[in-house]
Amino acid sequence: MTRITVAKGDGIGPEIMDATLDIIKAAGAQIEIDEIEVGEKVYLAGNTSGIANSSWDTIRRNKIFLKAPITTPQGGGYKSLNVTTRKFLGLYANVRPCISLHPFVSTKHPVMDVVIVRENEEDLYAGIEHQQTDEVVQCLKLISRPGCEKIIRYAFEYAKQQKRKKVTCFTKDNIMKQTDGLFHQVFDEIAKEYPEIENEHWIIDIGAAKMADTPEAFDVIVMPNLYGDVLSDVAAQITGSVGLAGSANIGEECAMFEAIHGSAPRRAGQNVANPSGLLQGAIMMLNHIGQTAVAERVQNAWLTTLEEGIHTYDIYKEGVSKQKVGTKEFAQAVIANLGKTPKTLKAVSYANSAALNLPKYKRKASAKKELVGVDVFVHWNGESADELASKVKALELNHVKLSMITNRGIKVWPEGFRETFCTDHWRCRFKPQEGASISKQDIISIKTENLYAFDGKPAYSLGQGQ
Ligand code: NAD
């Protein structure tokens, strides 16, 4: 028996959660449930994180969390509970299998079987944003070596366990040479440890185009957070419906399972929603907690039901579907099919699908770190970079001189172009002269960021979970 935490969420959440729990219990899932309240009601009661402290205790105690979609109220100040949960609990791997169910669910890609493994904690989702000048806001993109190593190793271990042939990495390292460059470099390092699995790297733009056009060319695809967020929805949608995909958020201790779609408030309370996405999340949960035989029974019954043409409105198609059913009736049909295996679609075998056990990240020896210059960002409303240069030269020390000024990353001094458009946000780079150095300390501030209010309105992001 495994004790799990369940949140029924908002909108269609309670209906699809009830259907999902009915199915997995009927299949013999050995689970005990602690239910918690998260989402809209909690937000509107004044808790900007959408979850009470006592609910965190339950989630952390049980370690396994099955969550229906929630509604994040419109307007500022509400932090996404999904992002907070992933980061608080260290759920670094987001795994989304995207599989076509041709000919029972229409799709332009009948042979698609792609698993997106998305880094889930960092990248632009660090949520560190600041308005710095009247004209410029920034969002910090943070990529760490442990973040890259953990997710890339997870992708290869997943491929190995699931007997998949290839792991592809998508980045934009031709532009972001430090951040995406690190992700790509770590991919190349870790790929060497898995010589039996093919590996390749694509620049994200052409890779995404290829995935949308020829998904059968891919198997497992690993990528940083933002790209993974966007492309896992694309991948799920092109299998035929975003409503059929589930997602696992895996950490070293805890894990959260969900559907990839939202709370579809317009469909709530009408017994029409398709519970399949959440059911797929629950099947991944059953595998994760070692109840693989139950997971297999549920998946094969679900495939059989789809094959029989018993479809909810979102995938119902004249000529293919046989019967349009509501949420409850769909669940009953899956329960009636427990023990059956599909005839046309490929039956699944989950004998080897329990949770992966990955080695802990080991910190590498520190490299020799030297302070070799300082970038000073300034808010200045003038237009001539030469004029700014003459002003900031006042900051020069005897041996530390202004070496360059950029505006939005493009060099405008010395020898800038008259045509370059400049905002009020300038970066002035100071470097020591040949042979000189800047004084070193063991712990040194690498950056400070001023917090501003513009017209009295705070112009910086809250901490995740704040
Ligand atoms: P959505 O995914 O909730 O719905 C988009 C449309 O897809 C719906 O109008 C509906 O037609 C269809 N749809 C989605 N799921 C379906 C299902 N199971 N069965 C049948 N049809 C389905 O996206 P949205 O309308 O952009 O977002 C609504 C709310 O959900 C927002 O508050 C958003 O913040 C939230 N959201 C939550 C999660 C989550 O909790 N994981 C994820 C995404 C969005």
Side-chain angles (χ1 to χ4, degrees), residues 12 67 69-72 82 258 261-264 266-267 274 313:
I12 58 172
K67 191 185 78 56
I70 60 163
T71 303
T72 310
N82 286 330
E258 57 186 343
H261 60 73
S263 57
R266 282 187 302 121
R267 311 283 176 188
N274 188 345
Y313 84 92

